[in-house]
Amino acid sequence: MRFTQLFLLAAPALAASDTATATATTEAADCTATATAGFFDLRPDTALAPGDGVKKSARTADYHANGWDYRHNFTMNICGAVVKPVEDVVGVDEEEWRHVGAYYTSDGGDVFSIGSESKLLHTRGRKLVLQYTNGSPCGPSSRRRRSIHDGAMYGDYSDDEDAPAPSAANLDADDDQRRAGAEEEKEKEKDKKEVRRKSATISFLCDHDPADVHATVNFVGTDPDECAYFFDVRSQHACLSAEPHQPGSVGPGGVFALLLSIALVVYFAGGVFYQRTVAHARGWRQLPNHTLWHGIWTAISDFAIIGASSCARLLPGRQGYSRLSRSPTSGWRNREDENRLIDQLDEEWDD
């Protein structure tokens, strides 16, 4: 029995390890995140372009946020590119315009991207965060303008034979000009590599108000270089919920069924082994607690017989003595026959 007890203790650990392995190999869906206390699913908050296959309850317009003291208003989508396409985005390649997830328009009509779309949610403690990156250029490097080296000097020479030979001072000036040009090229290459781009960090808050069907976006602020923008979004889908069953993973019901099956197999196998080897039992007595199982089987059989008998009494043609003919003559004959039969049975019992 020690072996059986050890196996019973080890079975839950084995089942838990199998469940963890199956969960780890299952990839999370886009715009979803799993936290310690629950599951987040923001896919209903994604605005979709109107068309075939789009539900009537789905949002088909971009989200808008008032910039207040920032002078510009913002347009964005959650876990996707903006529904209304944008063009001529400052500092962004043309093939990336269709991936812009958030932007604003300046007073001059220039479109500035504050991040490309992303469907990867992050959980930081009890916070749910979505980040858009790789927007339009920003920071001091994007506004830097350089002039030609002030110390550069150019000689004005003629082609006649009386042209003076270059002096040592002119040669030094030419060397300084070449060095300045080389340094400027290096600075340009460095600026290209170190270009900072705008980004947007979106923090989600749980909204328990059932009247708010769609999410609401609010602008929080930006850094002094106008590179990082911060928003908070209130949504009922940002509340913790139970994680749905994923194909390829084991759900809570599967884990319970697996543990129950292992426990039953160990119980019967260990009990039969013990009864056969230690108690030298044979037949049905090899089952553990066979008297208990025999009593349960007997009770089930009795209830089955009682139910079958009750159902048989309700069937037509099985009324017994309660079924009598409507004819008075036949009724009297039946009663006389019944009385003679009863008297005959009584005589037999007396003998």
Side-chain angles (χ1 to χ4, degrees):
M1 292 297 289
R2 293 181 179 179
F3 175 77
T4 305
Q5 295 175 355
L6 291 175
F7 196 86
L8 281 172
L9 293 175
L14 294 174
S17 63
D18 293 340
T19 305
T21 304
T23 305
T25 56
T26 304
E27 296 182 359
D30 293 336
C31 207
T32 63
T34 303
T36 305
F39 179 74
F40 297 100
D41 187 359
L42 297 182
R43 287 174 292 184
D45 288 332
T46 303
L48 304 174
D52 296 337
V54 178
K55 298 180 180 179
K56 294 182 179 179
S57 59
R59 185 182 178 92
T60 57
D62 294 319
Y63 293 91
H64 298 280
N66 197 320
W68 303 111
D69 57 343
Y70 184 67
R71 309 179 309 279
H72 306 303
N73 297 327
F74 300 90
T75 304
M76 66 171 57
N77 196 0
I78 297 175
C79 291
V82 291
V83 176
K84 187 178 180 179
V86 292
E87 297 180 352
D88 300 329
V89 183
V90 176
V92 179
D93 296 335
E94 182 176 356
E95 57 269 15
E96 296 296 327
W97 293 350
R98 58 190 179 91
H99 297 297
V100 173
Y103 71 93
Y104 68 89
T105 304
S106 65
D107 296 334
D110 295 329
V111 178
F112 289 87
S113 170
I114 59 175
S116 299
E117 64 174 325
S118 175
K119 299 180 181 180
L120 184 61
L121 293 176
H122 300 277
T123 54
R124 294 184 174 95
R126 299 181 63 87
K127 287 289 185 180
L128 183 64
V129 179
L130 176 65
Q131 192 165 19
Y132 291 163
T133 58
N134 200 26
S136 298
C138 64
S141 61
S142 64
R143 299 187 293 267
R144 187 178 300 170
R145 297 292 184 269
R146 287 189 172 86
S147 61
I148 300 176
H149 183 63
D150 296 335
M153 297 178 61
Y154 298 91
D156 186 12
Y157 304 111
S158 59
D159 293 336
D160 56 0
E161 296 178 356
D162 296 336
S167 61
N170 292 335
L171 292 175
D172 293 340
D174 293 339
D175 293 339
D176 292 341
Q177 182 180 358
R178 285 192 294 270
R179 284 195 295 270
E183 291 178 359
E184 186 175 356
E185 290 296 331
K186 290 181 180 179
E187 288 294 331
K188 289 181 179 180
E189 293 295 332
K190 185 178 180 181
D191 289 343
K192 290 181 180 179
K193 295 180 180 179
E194 296 180 357
V195 168
R196 297 177 61 191
R197 293 189 173 272
K198 296 179 182 291
S199 63
T201 302
I202 307 171
S203 176
F204 294 90
L205 303 175
C206 176
D207 187 6
H208 293 286
D209 189 357
D212 296 335
V213 180
H214 298 293
T216 56
V217 182
N218 299 299
F219 173 65
V220 177
T222 181
D223 65 337
D225 292 335
E226 297 183 356
C227 284
Y229 296 80
F230 302 93
F231 302 86
D232 64 46
V233 177
R234 302 187 67 88
S235 171
Q236 61 180 351
H237 301 106
C239 303
L240 287 171
S241 60
E243 184 174 4
H245 176 68
Q246 297 283 347
S249 62
V250 182
V255 174
F256 177 78
L258 180 63
L259 294 178
L260 180 62
S261 300
I262 293 175
L264 291 177
V265 169
V266 173
Y267 170 75
F268 283 104
V272 169
F273 177 78
Y274 176 81
Q275 293 288 344
R276 187 177 181 83
T277 56
V278 178
H280 302 288
R282 295 295 182 268
W284 288 104
R285 296 181 178 275
Q286 297 180 82
L287 293 176
N289 301 322
H290 65 280
T291 54
L292 173 64
W293 298 111
H294 183 266
I296 293 175
W297 175 253
T298 303
I300 294 174
S301 301
D302 293 340
F303 279 112
I305 294 173
I306 293 172
S309 302
S310 301
C311 293
R313 290 178 181 176
L314 299 176
L315 295 176
R318 305 287 295 182
Q319 300 292 333
Y321 291 106
S322 62
R323 184 182 181 185
L324 300 175
S325 175
R326 294 182 180 180
S327 176
T329 307
S330 60
W332 284 109
R333 284 200 298 268
N334 291 337
R335 288 180 183 178
E336 292 177 358
D337 294 339
E338 291 174 1
N339 291 332
R340 281 197 299 272
L341 179 60
I342 292 172
D343 294 339
Q344 183 179 356
L345 292 174
D346 291 339
E347 292 175 359
E348 292 179 356
W349 279 105
D350 292 336
D351 293 341

